[in-house]
Amino acid sequence: QVHVVESGGGLVQAGGSLRLSCAASGRTFSRDSMAWFRQAPGKEREFVAFINWSGHSTQYAEFGKGRFSISRDNAKNTMYLEMNNLKPEDTAVYYCAAQGPINWSHLVGDYEFWGQGTQVTVSS
């Protein structure tokens, strides 16, 4: 059975940093693209960042460019999201998505496996 588990969320002050991790088990995702999404209360789930299977191709939502960095370690079947200069508007549940398309996609429906999410709260 495939499991995708996020960790690393928490409460941080504006301007602070967090590093999220996404660990997969049950199968390897080393040949699949992965992504991060987030969902704030009352809002739809939105794309944050994408990484292809090798890690050599990444894409970011506009709000994350220059602040967020996505990476992966295929040997550990794990993906990361480094978030710097966090803002209160970054407050959301962050989700890991796995087995996406070869070319990047910002669409929720294009990813096969999802984690339960990790809460990120940024105080002002």
Side-chain angles (χ1 to χ4, degrees):
Q1 189 173 2
V2 177
H3 291 284
V4 179
V5 180
E6 304 93 338
S7 62
L11 173 64
V12 63
Q13 288 188 331
S17 299
L18 282 174
R19 188 192 196 206
L20 306 183
S21 298
C22 168
S25 62
R27 57 156 283 184
T28 178
F29 289 103
S30 61
R31 304 298 293 183
D32 297 307
S33 65
M34 300 179 75
W36 288 97
F37 287 75
R38 71 183 188 184
Q39 188 167 17
K43 294 187 177 181
E44 293 190 352
R45 194 167 298 190
E46 65 176 348
F47 169 78
V48 175
F50 165 92
I51 189 166
N52 78 331
W53 70 271
S54 68
H56 292 155
S57 177
T58 59
Q59 296 286 342
Y60 296 92
E62 201 61 38
F63 59 77
K65 292 180 179 178
R67 299 191 300 129
F68 294 178
S69 179
I70 189 172
S71 61
R72 65 190 295 166
D73 184 338
N74 285 340
K76 296 181 178 180
N77 219 22
T78 301
M79 176 179 66
Y80 306 96
L81 183 68
E82 184 79 32
M83 303 186 294
N84 298 308
N85 191 23
L86 283 163
K87 305 175 181 180
E89 51 263 44
D90 293 319
T91 295
V93 177
Y94 283 69
Y95 295 91
C96 170
Q99 195 177 324
I102 294 175
N103 297 314
W104 86 279
S105 171
H106 66 286
L107 300 176
V108 170
D110 283 344
Y111 294 85
E112 183 70 21
F113 298 100
W114 292 83
Q116 294 300 305
T118 184
Q119 176 71 47
V120 171
T121 303
V122 185
S123 63
S124 57

